[in-house]
Every structure is written in C-alpha cells, then in structure tokens.
C-alpha cells in the first residue's frame, strides 16, 4: 500500500511539474489564420532561426538570423546579403564583414520581439528552425508568417510533438 502511495505522489508531482514548467521555443505561425502553428523548435545556445528570401527589388538573397535573447525575446544577431542596394538592410562599417559570397552585418543581439513577413512566391521564402526546414509549400500567397518566442507548458509542447495538437500562444484565442 505504501509503495502505491509513493508512486501516486510521484505521479502527481510530475503532472504538476508539466503544468507549471515551460519550454522555451521559437515558433512559426500564421497570425491571420487563427495563429495556426506551422513549426516550433528548441534553440540551443548556438542555435538560430533563419528567414531567407529573395529581395523583390534587387533580386538578391537576404538571410536574417535570430536567436533567443535576454528575457526570452527574439533577437537579431546577423543579417546576410549577397549584395547591397535599394531597400536592403544597411551595411554598418564597424559591424560588417565579408564571408565567402556574403556581406554579413552583426546586429548585436538587438531585441526584435516577433518578426512578421509577407509571403509572396517571388521572394522564394525559406525558414530554418533548429536545423530543420519549415514546410511553407502549403502557405498561401499573401499570408503573413510570424516568427516569435513562446513558452508553453511542457504538457502542451508534449501534446503538439506527439499528437500535433497545438496550443494557444500566451492564452490568445485561436
């Protein structure tokens, strides 16, 4: 009887922990489509999420790289461009270097909150999160993509990972 009580107590504490303890994630959602969750991933200390697109005016490749910064906020750590030109991010002389075929701007872990991007086929948009390509082939043209930092409870993260049941971000209505 005592063994059963110990097991039940341990189980209750485990369930309570799953409800309270959160998992730091970076998510990709469609905010105009009921905040539909496309992908979520854990970023290690050197991990990042990248938003790669072809700039529509200059027709050059741009890649924004983001990490989790202080306060579990998304922060820009570098921007990579194949060239500079109209409407492209600025290349700061003290923070810019050449790396193979890229012009790389050190963004200094500047907090950006969430990142929103307008999806158009001409941009050839790609997102890599925690080393995996986010599937965007079924995202409609004209959709808004949103990359953000979230902290769902462990049980919510587990349900999504095992049964593809998404959670509402920060208690927002889906």
């Amino acid at each position: 009887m005592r063994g059963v009580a110990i097991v039940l107590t341990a189980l209750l504490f485990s369930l309570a922990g799953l409800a309270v303890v959160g998992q730091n994630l970076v998510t990709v959602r469609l905010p105009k489509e009921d905040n539909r969750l496309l992908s979520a991933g854990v970023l290690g200390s050197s991990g990042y999420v990248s938003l790669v697109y072809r700039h529509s005016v200059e027709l050059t490749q741009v890649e924004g790289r983001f990490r989790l910064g202080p306060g579990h906020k998304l922060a820009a750590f570098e921007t990579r461009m194949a060239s500079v030109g109209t409407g492209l991010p600025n290349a700061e002389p003290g923070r810019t270097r050449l790396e193979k075929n890229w012009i790389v701007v050190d963004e200094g872990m500047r907090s950006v909150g969430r990142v929103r991007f307008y999806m158009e086929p001409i941009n050839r948009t790609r997102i890599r999160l925690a080393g995996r390509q986010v599937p965007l082939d079924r995202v409609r043209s004209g959709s808004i993509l949103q990359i953000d930092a979230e902290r769902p409870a462990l049980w919510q993260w587990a349900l999504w990972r095992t049964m593809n049941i998404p959670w509402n971000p920060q208690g927002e209505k889906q």
Side-chain angles (χ1 to χ4, degrees), residues 67-155:
R67 287 187 172 142
L68 285 178
H72 188 64
K73 302 260 189 233
L74 211 54
F77 85 91
E78 67 181 25
T79 302
R80 297 170 165 259
M81 301 166 282
S83 68
V84 294
T86 307
L88 288 165
N90 291 326
E92 292 283 329
R95 298 184 294 127
T96 303
R97 68 185 186 279
L98 292 175
E99 191 177 294
K100 295 185 182 177
N101 297 327
W102 292 100
I103 299 166
V104 181
V105 179
D106 180 350
E107 300 293 352
M109 289 299 287
R110 177 178 42 89
S111 182
V112 294
R114 57 180 62 143
V115 174
R116 287 188 168 198
F117 192 82
Y118 189 73
M119 181 79 167
E120 280 297 333
I122 192 172
N123 296 96
R124 299 180 186 162
T125 306
R126 294 185 320 276
I127 297 175
R128 288 192 60 80
L129 172 57
R132 294 183 333 267
Q133 193 77 26
V134 175
L136 300 177
D137 52 325
R138 293 190 175 161
V139 176
R140 294 189 320 261
S141 175
S143 295
I144 303 290
L145 295 168
Q146 179 174 288
I147 303 169
D148 202 357
E150 295 184 30
R151 188 175 169 85
L154 280 176
W155 68 269

